Amino acid sequence: MEKREGMNAFRGLQYSSSLHEQANLRKAAQHYCYSSVIRKCVGVSSCYLTPNENPYNLFSGKRNPRSIIVRSELAKMGTHEVGYPLSEVPLSSKIRGTCFYATTAITAIFLFMLMLVVHPIVLLTDRYRRRIHYTIAKMWASLTVAPFFRIKYEGLENLPAPNSPAVYVSNHQSFLDIYTLLTLGRSFKFISKTAIFLFPIIGWAMFMMGVVPLKRMDSRSQLDCLKRCMELIRKGASVFFFPEGTRTKDGKLGAFKKGAFSVAAKTKVPVVPITLVGTGSIMPAGSEGILNMGSVKVLIHKPVIGSDPEALCNEAWSVIADALILNKLESK
């Protein structure tokens, strides 16, 4: 093949090459740019390539070991958006996850039938709190988690009386948070996405329990949700909020939204902060198919009372944040 002379822009080098060699060089340049981007994304120090350190040996087609190192470092680190590292999930965690869902499904079927039978009585005698339904839900949650992890409670004396309405707030780490909180045996109304109500058995049970529906991106739905919560409190029921709005993906406590604290301030009921520890490591957000070994701690803090939603929000956030920091220090 006839060779032609020319300038080729790869690291400012000038040389004579064939068309085939130029094609290889273009591929190498693309890979070099890709490697540079990866290095920046994962925080690897940027080691500039010299003319002799091309990611590919242009004439032999062999890869430079340095590009392999960058890829392996990326695989080890993962990203904060992923609930579980990119490394291989242990088989035991996958098996435990499968067993967990099998247990919760079988238990839910039988207890849902019980809930269905007593539902007319509940609507006639306890329309707002629905304590019988929450007793059944506590049984479901307790039977589900008992074979897989242990829950330790601290500060149970800080819980208001069962018949006293309150606004409960907590950090949100995992899908397991709902199970854990139901074991407290309090008939507080959760806030849930409307799509979950369509799930067979679980969604139907939530509907009968009086869980408050919410469309997250719909401002009208958010306003209706807060109005419904205030109505329930005035009727003697309690409500439960995850004021972060969603599960944390990096383990850090996010900023609190003020909706829950506005409800508490307007209805003049106490805010009960609760700190959940351990659920995020057992079933990380984004990895709901696995279940790791571990235990869970539930810390119930003293109720906070006030008429200023912002002050209530800041105080509740500080209490939960301090508890998470203290627990982290104690675990070291």
Side-chain angles (χ1 to χ4, degrees), residues 11-31:
R11 306 292 296 165
L13 295 179
Q14 180 179 3
Y15 60 90
S16 175
S17 64
S18 67
L19 293 175
H20 176 69
E21 291 165 353
Q22 289 179 21
N24 283 339
L25 187 57
R26 282 195 295 271
K27 291 180 181 178
Q30 292 172 357
H31 183 79

Side-chain angles (χ1 to χ4, degrees), residues 124-135:
L124 290 173
T125 61
D126 191 16
R127 186 178 188 85
Y128 295 100
R129 282 180 288 185
R130 307 190 184 190
R131 287 167 292 182
I132 295 177
H133 283 345
Y134 276 87
T135 300

Side-chain angles (χ1 to χ4, degrees), residues 9-301:
F10 178 74
R11 306 292 296 165
L13 295 179
Q14 180 179 3
Y15 60 90
S16 175
S17 64
S18 67
L19 293 175
H20 176 69
E21 291 165 353
Q22 289 179 21
N24 283 339
L25 187 57
R26 282 195 295 271
K27 291 180 181 178
Q30 292 172 357
H31 183 79
Y32 170 76
C33 295
Y34 173 76
S35 298
S36 300
V37 172
I38 293 299
R39 288 170 186 270
K40 292 179 181 178
C41 289
V42 301
V44 180
S45 58
S46 179
C47 301
Y48 295 100
L49 300 179
T50 64
N52 294 325
E53 290 179 308
N54 297 339
Y56 280 84
N57 185 321
L58 301 181
F59 305 107
S60 66
K62 294 182 180 179
R63 298 179 63 174
N64 186 290
R66 181 170 294 181
S67 67
I68 298 175
I69 293 173
V70 173
R71 284 179 174 271
S72 64
E73 287 175 335
L74 176 65
K76 289 179 183 178
M77 293 184 65
T79 63
H80 71 279
E81 289 88 356
V82 181
Y84 200 79
L86 295 179
S87 57
E88 185 179 356
V89 177
L91 180 60
S92 59
S93 295
K94 294 180 181 179
I95 295 174
R96 285 169 58 83
T98 301
C99 293
F100 174 83
Y101 286 111
T103 302
T104 195
I106 295 171
T107 308
I109 291 172
F110 289 101
L111 292 180
F112 172 75
M113 298 305 296
L114 177 60
M115 189 178 289
L116 193 60
V117 169
V118 301
H119 187 60
I121 300 174
V122 169
L123 291 179
L124 290 173
T125 61
D126 191 16
R127 186 178 188 85
Y128 295 100
R129 282 180 288 185
R130 307 190 184 190
R131 287 167 292 182
I132 295 177
H133 283 345
Y134 276 87
T135 300
I136 296 173
K138 178 184 178 180
M139 293 171 55
W140 168 70
S142 300
L143 290 172
T144 298
V145 304
F148 301 100
F149 59 88
R150 176 173 164 268
I151 303 176
K152 181 181 178 181
Y153 305 93
E154 294 183 12
L156 288 173
E157 67 278 3
N158 294 323
L159 285 173
N163 296 331
S164 298
V167 172
Y168 295 80
V169 297
S170 169
N171 59 315
H172 200 8
Q173 295 186 334
S174 170
F175 177 65
L176 297 178
D177 293 346
I178 301 295
Y179 290 85
T180 302
L181 292 165
L182 283 173
T183 63
L184 288 172
R186 287 294 191 270
S187 55
F188 36 60
K189 309 299 180 185
F190 287 102
I191 315 298
S192 178
K193 294 185 295 184
T194 54
I196 298 180
F197 287 84
L198 300 177
F199 290 4
I201 307 299
I202 300 298
W204 304 338
M206 289 168 53
F207 176 79
M208 288 193 290
M209 291 167 62
V211 173
V212 181
L214 172 67
K215 294 179 181 178
R216 283 186 179 176
M217 306 306 295
D218 188 334
S219 57
R220 177 66 179 271
S221 177
Q222 293 172 2
L223 183 60
D224 290 342
C225 173
L226 296 180
K227 289 181 178 178
R228 175 62 177 162
C229 289
M230 287 189 282
E231 180 186 358
L232 286 168
I233 289 174
R234 293 187 178 110
K235 297 294 185 179
S238 296
V239 292
F240 195 104
F241 287 83
F242 290 113
E244 292 172 278
T246 188
R247 288 167 288 175
T248 177
K249 295 184 182 301
D250 57 8
K252 297 178 182 179
L253 183 65
F256 280 3
K257 299 178 181 179
K258 295 180 183 177
F261 309 98
S262 296
V263 170
K266 290 180 180 179
T267 56
K268 296 180 174 57
V269 297
V271 175
V272 183
I274 298 177
T275 303
L276 300 176
V277 180
T279 54
S281 59
I282 296 177
M283 183 180 285
S287 299
E288 283 72 25
I290 68 170
L291 194 73
N292 298 315
M293 297 288 289
S295 60
V296 173
K297 186 184 294 185
V298 181
L299 308 174
I300 300 100
H301 307 285

